[in-house]
Amino acid sequence: MSGDHHGSSAISERVRHVEALLEARGLVDEGEIDRRIDEFLAGGSPANGARITARAWVDPGFRDRLLADANAAIREVGLSMAGGLQEQRLKVVANTEDEHNVVVCTLCSCYPIALLGPSPAWYKSEAYRSRVVRDPRGVLEEFGLELPAATRISVWDASAESRYLVVSRRPEGTDGMSEEELAGLVTRKGLIGTAAV
Amino acid sequence: MPDRFAPGDAVRTSTADPTWHTRLPRYARGAVGRVVELAGHHPLADDRARGLPGTTQAVYHVRFAAADLFGDGDHAVTVELWEDYLEPADPSGGTP
């Protein structure tokens, strides 16, 4: 298991060294790696995941299509998982009264950047990655999310090629809100499953 | 080659501890779970990480009861696993 992705100057030095070698050998142009990373991150934002969630709340047909084939369904709201080198499979899971879902990548930090923006530091931390599979209820409580004892918790480990997104439960008292207003309620933590919405 | 498993099948994960990169997390080794659904077909990560061509094979979402992974806990953990990591298992856990 790799260590914390942040604050490791040894890793940063190695990355810079490899980058310099790739440039020296003409395998990549100067600055190309940074440009590619910028391209990959461009447009990636939790606002995208929030739009998907809001549409799922107001349109049960969309919700069904989303849960059955997320890659096809998100095109209906103008989004795609094809921004990287290859289209990645998206698996969307929806919270219900009986079941709460939470996402982790125990092996590294896999995560749908296009829909959630760059991942938060805690998502990449060894503490979150190792503990949430073992004691999700305790970890969620530390995030301030206390679930009823009867609510089952499902942890999804992004250990291979799929990326995950959690559709939270629509909050009560939001009947009169527009789809756009509803999207404004959804947070990045909600999309990962470490917050209720 | 047809997919070896289908949703609902009980499967047991490998206990092997390879010296190379693998996507079968250690906490999910030697455990019995149930196939949720097929997650596509991809070259085996273990091969690709070693610079081998990588046989393309089925990848499944496999759901485990926390108690079967850790000895306790009432939650479930779903892991995404290549076919190579899996063998058929008796759902009651009766296979040796």
Side-chain angles (χ1 to χ4, degrees), chain A:
Chain A
M1 204 183 260
S2 59
D4 197 319
H5 291 219
H6 284 262
S8 169
S9 59
I11 288 284
S12 303
E13 274 173 36
R14 274 172 71 184
V15 169
R16 275 198 298 275
H17 184 64
V18 170
E19 216 170 321
L21 282 174
L22 290 169
E23 288 176 5
R25 294 181 189 181
L27 294 169
V28 299
D29 294 333
E30 197 179 332
E32 185 178 346
I33 291 175
D34 284 341
R35 284 198 302 279
R36 291 293 185 95
I37 291 172
D38 288 345
E39 281 170 22
F40 188 59
L41 294 176
S45 162
N48 294 332
R51 275 171 54 208
I52 294 169
T53 299
R55 177 64 62 87
W57 286 345
V58 300
D59 183 345
F62 176 77
R63 185 180 187 276
D64 291 345
R65 291 191 293 281
L66 185 67
L67 298 182
D69 182 352
N71 290 71
I74 65 171
R75 290 190 201 109
E76 296 178 37
V77 290
L79 295 169
S80 157
M81 289 295 285
L85 295 174
Q86 58 182 19
E87 175 156 10
Q88 284 180 309
R89 179 171 188 271
L90 178 67
K91 170 76 179 162
V92 175
V93 291
N95 293 340
T96 64
E97 196 178 345
D98 300 324
E99 185 172 31
H100 180 88
N101 297 281
V102 59
V103 180
V104 64
C105 173
T106 61
L107 297 175
C108 48
S109 56
C110 296
Y111 171 97
I113 289 172
L115 308 181
L116 273 69
S119 58
W122 58 260
Y123 185 82
K124 296 178 271 199
S125 72
E126 216 163 275
Y128 177 75
R129 287 158 45 209
S130 56
R131 291 183 57 220
V132 78
V133 285
R134 183 72 181 86
D135 177 23
R137 198 172 288 273
V139 170
L140 294 179
E141 280 174 11
E142 288 173 28
F143 275 97
L145 177 59
E146 293 202 21
L147 296 167
T151 301
R152 289 193 311 271
I153 300 177
S154 286
V155 182
W156 296 80
D157 186 351
S159 50
E161 305 291 336
S162 299
R163 300 295 174 262
Y164 298 86
L165 183 142
V166 176
V167 170
S168 47
R169 295 173 66 199
R170 180 171 175 164
E172 288 179 12
T174 59
D175 286 356
M177 291 176 80
S178 70
E179 190 175 329
E180 202 180 337
E181 287 170 326
L182 289 168
L185 302 176
V186 182
T187 68
R188 186 170 61 181
K189 282 183 185 162
L191 295 164
I192 299 172
T194 53
V197 183

Side-chain angles (χ1 to χ4, degrees), chain B residues 18-56:
Chain B
T19 52
W20 54 80
H21 172 85
T22 182
R23 301 285 186 85
L24 171 56
R26 190 172 294 262
Y27 73 83
R29 290 186 192 160
V32 174
R34 203 170 279 281
V35 173
V36 178
E37 66 184 41
L38 179 71
H41 298 83
H42 298 280
L44 182 63
D46 305 45
D47 289 344
R48 289 173 72 198
R50 286 180 291 160
L52 303 173
T55 51
T56 294

